[in-house]
Amino acid sequence: MSASAIYSGPVFHKRARPRAHALRYRIFMLLLDLTELDDLFARLRWLRRGRVGLASFDTRDHGDHRGGDLRTYVAERLVEAGLEPGGPVRLLCMPRIFGYGFNPLSLYFCHGRDGRLNAILYEVRNTFGQDHGYMIAVPEEDGPLHQTAPKRFFVSPFMDMDLTYRFTVSPPSETIAVRVEVLDAGGVVLTAGFAGKRSPLTDAGLLSALVRHPLLSFGVVAAIHWEALKIFAKGVRLRPRPPAPAHLITHGEALRPGQ
């Protein structure tokens, strides 16, 4: 059975300080096993490789944006982090819709040669055309994964830089869940997440998802700017944008449950 799949469900953001603000809407994401890409493009009518269509996937949207083999890119990042490459790499992301795509957050689930999940690479993109990665090892434990990393990359003009990310992830199965808490010295500033239910990545499944979310990537970008206007109207001040990080990847660490 293919490891690639569709995950559909709600995205939520809840800001606690300095002004309360919340949003919730539904999206779908693709889980793409990078070893299956050739087969997927060969058998799927509604998913195209790097071409304009109802839905498409372009490797230039991810990694180093050169359009090369993403498995090689991820393997190099794993080696830099002192982790073992060589197993399956599965990318959770939104496809392009009618040639347009934007992924605020994509996740690479990186497995070792023994098949065990040994790291997650979080790929964060802002609306200024920049991106940054957070690589975090996965300990040998069951249940939801708890990880943390210092914020090193400017995302929202309403958020400070001296912040910490705390990730809670339930890896892909029949469901998937990703929760990101943004903390400062006083506690949680913002919580965001996605919870999806799995369905097969087939033409019928993809067409159904496209009918339910026909303007997926357009809607995400429109929602980002609309919610930004509402936050600004609540009196939250803008923060200046610093230079992009000097390094491509920031390394985080695993947390013990309850830590």
Side-chain angles (χ1 to χ4, degrees):
M1 184 178 72
S2 173
S4 301
I6 300 170
Y7 284 91
S8 303
V11 163
F12 74 90
H13 286 237
K14 185 177 181 181
R15 177 185 288 267
R17 296 181 283 116
R19 298 285 188 275
H21 185 77
L23 65 92
R24 183 182 179 92
Y25 53 92
R26 295 185 66 84
I27 65 169
F28 77 91
M29 303 186 79
L30 303 182
L31 183 73
L32 300 174
D33 188 314
L34 299 183
T35 62
E36 296 179 353
L37 289 183
D38 288 341
D39 175 67
L40 290 174
F41 292 126
R43 68 177 175 83
L44 293 175
R45 176 182 180 184
W46 300 118
L47 182 67
R48 295 188 174 183
R49 186 198 299 262
R51 293 185 294 146
V52 175
L54 287 180
S56 59
F57 174 75
D58 195 327
T59 56
R60 292 173 297 181
D61 293 336
H62 301 278
D64 58 12
H65 305 290
R66 297 177 182 174
D69 186 350
L70 288 176
R71 291 174 299 175
T72 300
Y73 169 82
V74 173
E76 291 171 350
R77 305 291 82 76
L78 287 166
V79 170
E80 290 170 358
L83 299 169
E84 177 195 77
V89 177
R90 292 162 187 155
L91 171 61
L92 182 71
C93 65
M94 289 184 290
R96 289 188 178 195
I97 303 297
F98 300 115
Y100 178 74
F102 179 76
N103 278 276
L105 177 64
S106 304
L107 279 71
Y108 299 82
F109 294 91
C110 310
H111 299 74
R113 293 186 181 89
D114 60 359
R116 188 185 73 83
L117 180 64
N118 64 2
I120 298 177
L121 173 58
Y122 300 85
E123 193 171 64
V124 182
R125 187 170 182 84
N126 64 25
T127 55
F128 305 101
Q130 301 169 314
D131 52 56
H132 187 67
Y134 296 88
M135 174 73 79
I136 310 178
V138 170
E140 294 189 38
E141 61 181 42
D142 297 324
L145 306 173
H146 303 273
Q147 302 174 312
T148 187
K151 180 181 177 180
R152 292 286 184 261
F153 176 63
F154 186 81
V155 180
S156 168
F158 302 104
M159 301 288 286
D160 295 319
M161 288 298 297
D162 188 18
L163 298 168
T164 299
Y165 292 127
R166 187 164 62 198
F167 305 99
T168 303
V169 178
S170 295
S173 59
E174 289 306 304
T175 59
I176 193 170
V178 180
R179 180 184 178 93
V180 183
E181 294 175 297
V182 186
L183 302 95
D184 64 10
V188 176
V189 177
L190 180 143
T191 304
F194 169 69
K197 183 177 179 180
R198 182 187 178 102
S199 60
L201 181 48
T202 61
D203 275 325
L206 189 55
L207 188 59
S208 175
L210 290 166
V211 168
R212 286 181 282 117
H213 309 280
L215 299 176
L216 177 69
S217 43
F218 298 96
V220 167
V221 173
I224 289 172
H225 289 92
W226 175 241
E227 298 300 331
L229 285 173
K230 291 195 285 186
I231 293 170
F232 183 73
K234 290 182 178 183
V236 181
R237 67 178 179 84
L238 296 171
R239 275 66 167 180
R241 177 160 56 104
H247 300 287
L248 187 66
I249 301 292
T250 293
H251 297 137
E253 61 181 347
L255 294 171
R256 295 185 299 273
Q259 186 174 350

